[in-house]
Each structure stands twice: as structure tokens, then as C-alpha cells.
Amino acid sequence: MPTSPSSSAQAAREAVAARLRSLRKEAGLTVVELANRCGWHHSKTSRIENAITGPTANDIRQWCAATGAQSQARDIIVQSVNAESMYREWRHQIRRGLTELQQNSVKLFHTTSLFRVYSSTLVPGLLQTEGYAAGVLGVAARFNELPVDDSAQAARARVDRSRVIHDPGRRFVLLIEESVLHCQIADADAMAAQLGYLLTVGAIPTVALGIIPATTCLRSQWPRETFHVYDDQLVSVELISARVRINQPPEVALYVKAFEELRGMAVYGAKARALILKAIEALP
């Protein structure tokens, strides 16, 4: 069962903090003494040791110098950078607009062979039509109070990015909850176009789309937060406030395990098409 992704990111920060705390104690220094050697207020030492404030690379170098552990500085800096990169707040990622956010994933898409995506909320970005994507990104722009709403341009960039599904040598396994089909995030015409596109997805040789029926009994997994697994190397989890990236093998394995259990509850082919047609018929 996957742990909370935000908890995983915090645990990584706490591991760095614990390592620095251990160095201070091994050197026989109090919090105040270490702060004096580093030239900062002792409250900063406490914040770093309690994982409230993430240390900068220079903070770590000073800390290691003060405790006579200069040889460990580089390794701790790498560990700290990895911990901080796990948790990236949306407000920092979208400062230059939603279009750039789409473009930032292009390299990752082109270096991944197997995509596994589970969504309990929306049609996955890889399968979004331009109209549907514009609706999704428009909501994001308003919610995040962006000074410039570039959702229409970002939607085109998202569709361009998704052309990777036609590349030979890649596989895409995408799972959605049936409720996704009824979540009207765009106007009726855009929703009809999006649902119609899902009917044709099965014709794309590289794509397998599974839908978990709302009537599924005795679920082995309850609906989870949306997550993407890139090969077996990286998991990206989408929260309201941030995107969390997980690359520790044991945690990646947990998400793969959850994905396979969710996959086992899904229907495909004619049964999936029937659920999509039902959603089309329900459109106003």
C-alpha cells in the first residue's frame, strides 16, 4: 500500500536532518555551539535538525566543516537535493505559465518506454483532446490565480506532447475510474469529443485503456490519488499543492504493486466501450 507521497518527501528531508544532527552530536557540540561555529542563530540549527527548514548546499558545507566531517559534505548535499526535488509546489512550477509546464515533461516522455498511469479524477493527459485539456488547464489557471491564463496555448502543447503515444517501441497502460467519464470538466461539446476519442484509443497499437467500473465489488484497492509510473524508475504523484516525484526503488515498487491490483479490477475492450457510450448518452 503506497504511503502518502507528501509523507515520503518529508521522510527524505528528515533523513538529511537526522544525519546532520548525528554529526553535531558525534562532534560533542550543542545546538548553540554549532550555530556559533557556523555564524548563524541557534534557531536555524534547530529548524534544520527538525526538518522545518531545508539546508542549502552552503549550510551543509559549513555544518560539516564545524563538525570535522568535510568528507561527508558532498554526499549529504546530493541527498538533500534529492529530498527537496521530490516535492515541487505547483506555484513554483507554473510561475512562467502552464505552457512551459507541459514542455518540461517532453524529455521524460521521450526517454520512457513503459508508461503506467492511474487517474481517479480526470482523463489522463496523454489521452486528452485539446478542448478537454483547455477545460482542465483553465480550471488550474483560475484556481492558482495566474496573472496570465495561457490554458489554450498549454492545451495545444499538451496535445503535441501526447503524440508520443504513436511512437513505436513504447507501451502505454492507462487506468481510470468510471467516475472520470462523468466528471464534466469542459463544456458538453468538448466532453463529447473527449469521450469519442476514448472510443478510438483501442485502435492505437501502443495503448491499453482500462476502466474500473463504479459497481466493482470487493475492491482490492480503493480509488487512489492520480499517479504516473515511468518505466520502473520514477513515480509522479499529483496533489493539490504539489507534484511529488518518487525514485526510491522500494516506494516505486509499492506503486507498481498498487497499479497492478487496480489494473486487475478494470474492464477493457467491449466492456470499456459500453461504459464510455453510457457516459456519452448521459451528457446534457
Side-chain angles (χ1 to χ4, degrees), residues 2-3 5-6 85-88 90 93 101 105 108-109 112 114-119 161 224-239 242-248 251-252 255-256 259:
T3 58
S6 56
S85 66
M86 285 179 65
Y87 191 96
R88 301 187 62 195
W90 291 118
Q93 295 188 64
L101 181 63
S105 300
L108 174 61
F109 279 28
T112 300
L114 173 59
F115 296 72
R116 282 170 285 198
V117 180
Y118 165 76
S119 178
R161 183 187 67 180
R224 298 289 191 172
E225 67 274 5
T226 292
F227 64 89
H228 302 67
V229 184
Y230 300 95
D231 291 325
D232 289 318
Q233 307 301 315
L234 174 69
V235 175
S236 176
V237 187
E238 297 179 3
L239 309 178
R243 171 186 288 159
V244 180
R245 291 191 164 194
I246 297 167
N247 56 20
Q248 294 300 307
E251 291 189 78
V252 172
Y255 275 91
V256 171
F259 184 87

Side-chain angles (χ1 to χ4, degrees), residues 39-269:
W40 60 54
H41 194 273
H42 62 83
S43 63
K44 178 175 177 177
T45 303
S46 295
R47 291 196 305 274
I48 290 174
E49 288 195 355
N50 288 289
I52 297 171
T53 298
T56 66
N58 192 51
D59 290 339
I60 293 171
R61 292 190 190 96
Q62 288 183 264
W63 194 298
C64 289
T67 57
Q70 292 93 328
S71 62
Q72 296 189 46
R74 182 176 180 180
D75 184 50
I76 297 175
I77 289 171
V78 171
Q79 184 181 3
S80 180
V81 169
N82 287 339
E84 293 305 316
S85 66
M86 285 179 65
Y87 191 96
R88 301 187 62 195
E89 292 185 57
W90 291 118
R91 64 188 178 90
H92 295 313
Q93 295 188 64
I94 61 179
R95 281 182 295 190
R96 298 179 181 175
L98 294 167
T99 303
E100 184 169 315
L101 181 63
Q102 312 308 306
Q103 296 167 341
N104 288 343
S105 300
V106 170
K107 182 177 180 181
L108 174 61
F109 279 28
H110 285 282
T111 55
T112 300
S113 298
L114 173 59
F115 296 72
R116 282 170 285 198
V117 180
Y118 165 76
S119 178
S120 58
T121 54
L122 299 169
V123 172
L126 282 163
L127 300 181
Q128 288 180 9
T129 59
E130 188 172 327
Y132 182 92
V136 171
L137 295 167
V139 170
R142 292 189 293 276
F143 181 76
N144 290 285
E145 300 178 350
L146 297 187
V148 177
D149 182 352
D150 64 337
S151 55
Q153 181 182 354
R156 289 191 292 272
R158 175 167 289 187
V159 171
D160 287 341
R161 183 187 67 180
S162 298
R163 299 188 196 284
V164 70
I165 66 174
H166 298 287
D167 289 354
R170 304 184 199 281
R171 291 195 300 126
F172 302 83
V173 185
L174 304 111
L175 304 176
I176 62 174
E177 298 286 342
E178 183 183 355
S179 58
V180 168
L181 303 175
H182 298 275
C183 180
Q184 193 163 338
I185 200 71
D187 62 40
D189 288 342
M191 285 299 301
Q194 176 64 76
L195 294 172
Y197 179 60
L198 293 183
L199 289 173
T200 69
V201 163
I204 302 176
T206 56
V207 177
L209 173 63
I211 302 174
I212 302 174
T215 56
T216 299
C217 296
L218 297 177
R219 295 182 60 125
S220 58
Q221 287 282 328
W222 57 82
R224 298 289 191 172
E225 67 274 5
T226 292
F227 64 89
H228 302 67
V229 184
Y230 300 95
D231 291 325
D232 289 318
Q233 307 301 315
L234 174 69
V235 175
S236 176
V237 187
E238 297 179 3
L239 309 178
I240 290 177
S241 60
R243 171 186 288 159
V244 180
R245 291 191 164 194
I246 297 167
N247 56 20
Q248 294 300 307
E251 291 189 78
V252 172
L254 279 175
Y255 275 91
V256 171
K257 179 181 179 180
F259 184 87
E260 291 304 320
E261 291 190 3
L262 289 161
R263 184 179 181 181
M265 295 185 290
V267 296
Y268 303 84

Side-chain angles (χ1 to χ4, degrees), residues 23-41:
L23 289 180
R24 175 183 62 78
K25 290 183 175 181
E26 288 173 5
L29 299 174
T30 66
V31 168
V32 173
E33 288 170 339
L34 183 131
N36 289 338
R37 290 193 182 187
C38 292
W40 60 54
H41 194 273

